[in-house]
């Protein structure tokens, strides 16, 4: 039996999954990311984990059909990474490095949100759709577009970067990308806390969070689901910014479905309802836009997407 590996490389942890050729998840585990030496120890560490797994399971190296890696930043078509702040990489190619570590094994790399999108498209919430966009709501806002089974990363690797579409031109604070009014400043976990603090400071809303010195996006969602007026207003503003940006995407490439994932999406349907409320306001040419739904694969989306990318590169899919 041939084996595929899906690897999701993050700034604190590396998740690794082994898969059968048919796509069944066999094993998964995680190791800490060693960022020292400009992140140069990351790929040898992943290769070491794969060698160890293969030897423990008596899998000859020529049975490893491929490795698909997710990287938290833009990745060129040949796997080249110009800058990846989270991994301390600069002018680095994880694909050639992996192929040096494991000669004869076919490796591939993609942006992590694109990879998670591939996972949701083939095995998760986007399964029945012909075109899909995944939006991940975590510390930041990421996105990945899949059309006809292929990742659309664009000419410059920024297609689907919904976090830096700017629906709020009246915003004066700067986003970490340097622009102002980005979706990231609202719909990310950090953005939600920022807006909630602003609302509380303005005194315009009532909320139990007024009593709290510190709170998280999760606290805001919990309060909103209990009917807290301030938290509800915060969700309306933050997810409204995303809803508006999704309507821009719909007018650009009209996907069948939007899949919402990432830590913030764990709050559930309340997030979808708040996005839809704004999204639906922007359609005049058609009656209704795309379906918006929650992601299905949770934290495994990246490794599953990695195994699919590996299978595609190996000509198995
Ligand atoms: Zn931005």
């Amino acid at each position: 039996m041939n084996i595929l590996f899906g690897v999701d490389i993050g700034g604190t942890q590396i998740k690794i999954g082994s898969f059968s050729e048919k796509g069944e998840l066999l094993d998964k585990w995680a190791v800490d990311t060693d960022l020292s030496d400009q992140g140069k120890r990351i790929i040898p560490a992943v290769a070491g984990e794969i060698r160890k797994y293969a030897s423990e399971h008596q899998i000859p190296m020529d049975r490893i059909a491929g490795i698909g890696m997710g990287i938290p930043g833009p990745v060129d078509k040949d796997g080249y990474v110009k800058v990846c702040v989270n991994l301390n990489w600069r002018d680095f190619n994880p694909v050639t490095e992996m192929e040096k570590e494991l000669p004869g094994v076919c490796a591939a790399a993609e942006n992590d949100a694109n990879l998670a999108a591939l996972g949701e498209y083939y095995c998760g919430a986007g399964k029945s759709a012909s075109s899909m966009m995944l939006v991940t709501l975590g510390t930041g806002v990421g996105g990945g577009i899949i059309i006809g089974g292929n990742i659309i990363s664009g000419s410059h690797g920024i297609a689907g970067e919904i976090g830096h579409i700017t629906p709020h031109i009246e915003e004066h604070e700067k986003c970490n990308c340097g622009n102002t009014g980005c979706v990231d400043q609202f719909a990310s976990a950090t953005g939600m806390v920022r807006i909630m603090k602003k609302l509380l400071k303005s005194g315009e809303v009532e909320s139990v969070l007024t009593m709290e010195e510190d709170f998280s996006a999760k606290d805001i969602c919990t309060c909103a689901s209990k009917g807290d007026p301030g938290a509800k207003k915060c969700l309306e503003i933050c997810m409204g910014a995303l809803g508006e940006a999704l309507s821009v995407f719909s007018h650009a490439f009209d996907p069948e479905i939007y899949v919402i994932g990432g830590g913030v999406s764990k709050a559930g349907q309340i997030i979808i309802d708040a996005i839809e409320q704004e999204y639906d306001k922007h359609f005049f040419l058609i009656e209704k836009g795309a379906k918006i739904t929650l992601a299905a694969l949770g934290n495994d989306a990246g490794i599953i997407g990695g195994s699919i990318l590996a299978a595609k590169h190996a000509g198995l899919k």
Side-chain angles (χ1 to χ4, degrees):
M1 183 173 71
N2 284 331
I3 299 283
L4 296 155
F5 287 93
V7 183
D8 191 357
I9 306 179
T12 51
Q13 263 202 335
I14 301 167
K15 297 189 200 90
I16 305 171
S18 61
F19 294 81
S20 74
E21 216 172 278
K22 284 183 190 149
E24 296 146 315
L25 175 61
L26 305 171
D27 285 299
K28 60 172 179 175
W29 69 101
V31 291
D32 289 341
T33 313
D34 180 356
L35 297 172
S36 63
D37 200 13
Q38 278 98 49
K40 291 210 170 73
R41 297 182 187 185
I42 296 172
I43 298 300
V46 175
E49 288 293 319
I50 288 171
R51 263 195 300 262
K52 194 168 96 190
Y53 181 88
S55 119
E56 279 169 7
H57 293 79
Q58 279 128 38
I59 301 161
M61 292 308 278
D62 62 3
R63 284 288 167 86
I64 299 177
I67 302 168
M69 298 178 280
I71 313 295
V75 179
D76 274 9
K77 290 224 166 6
D78 62 354
Y80 171 74
V81 176
K82 191 167 173 33
V83 183
C84 181
V85 184
N86 292 350
L87 302 180
N88 274 344
W89 288 353
R90 216 164 253 282
D91 286 321
F92 189 73
N93 192 322
V95 172
T96 50
E97 289 303 315
M98 184 59 87
E99 288 178 344
K100 258 188 242 164
E101 288 288 328
L102 303 173
V105 176
C106 168
E110 253 298 344
N111 167 266
D112 55 359
N114 286 348
L115 217 57
L118 201 60
E120 288 288 347
Y121 180 87
Y122 277 100
C123 307
K127 232 171 165 177
S128 56
S130 62
S131 54
M132 183 202 99
M133 178 170 183
L134 171 75
V135 180
T136 56
L137 305 178
T139 319
V141 176
I145 302 169
I146 310 288
I147 297 179
N150 296 311
I151 295 170
I152 307 297
S153 46
S155 315
H156 308 90
I158 65 154
E161 281 291 347
I162 190 159
H164 302 288
I165 279 190
T166 52
H168 282 289
I169 46 170
E170 74 285 1
E171 174 67 50
H172 294 302
E173 274 180 48
K174 267 202 168 141
C175 174
N176 55 23
C177 75
N179 209 340
T180 54
C182 292
V183 168
D184 208 288
Q185 292 178 279
F186 297 84
S188 65
T190 31
M192 286 173 70
V193 172
R194 182 183 79 98
I195 295 298
M196 191 68 214
K197 285 188 173 163
K198 263 190 167 181
L199 283 171
L200 294 175
K201 208 175 161 194
S202 74
E204 284 168 26
V205 295
E206 274 181 40
S207 173
V208 292
L209 291 170
T210 316
M211 263 97 80
E212 305 292 328
E213 222 168 81
D214 229 342
F215 50 82
S216 63
K218 194 180 167 199
D219 297 328
I220 300 169
C221 293
T222 309
C223 288
S225 58
K226 286 180 186 160
D228 183 85
K232 275 168 78 179
K233 180 76 191 163
C234 177
L235 268 197
E236 196 183 294
I237 295 170
C238 295
M239 294 305 137
L242 176 58
E244 193 175 337
L246 291 184
S247 78
V248 172
F249 263 83
S250 282
H251 286 91
F253 84 103
D254 193 16
E256 201 174 321
I257 186 169
Y258 289 108
V259 176
I260 313 293
V264 173
S265 73
K266 288 191 181 132
Q269 192 58 34
I270 191 169
I271 295 284
I272 303 295
D273 293 345
I275 297 169
E276 268 179 345
Q277 200 185 335
E278 185 61 36
Y279 175 77
D280 286 342
K281 283 184 197 163
H282 297 270
F283 293 94
F284 295 96
L285 301 174
I286 51 170
E287 213 167 287
K288 187 142 177 53
K291 186 180 167 194
I292 304 176
T293 190
L294 290 166
L297 301 179
N299 289 336
D300 288 344
I303 55 170
I304 293 172
S307 74
I308 295 162
L309 181 73
K312 279 175 170 278
H313 268 253
L316 300 170
K317 213 165 182 92

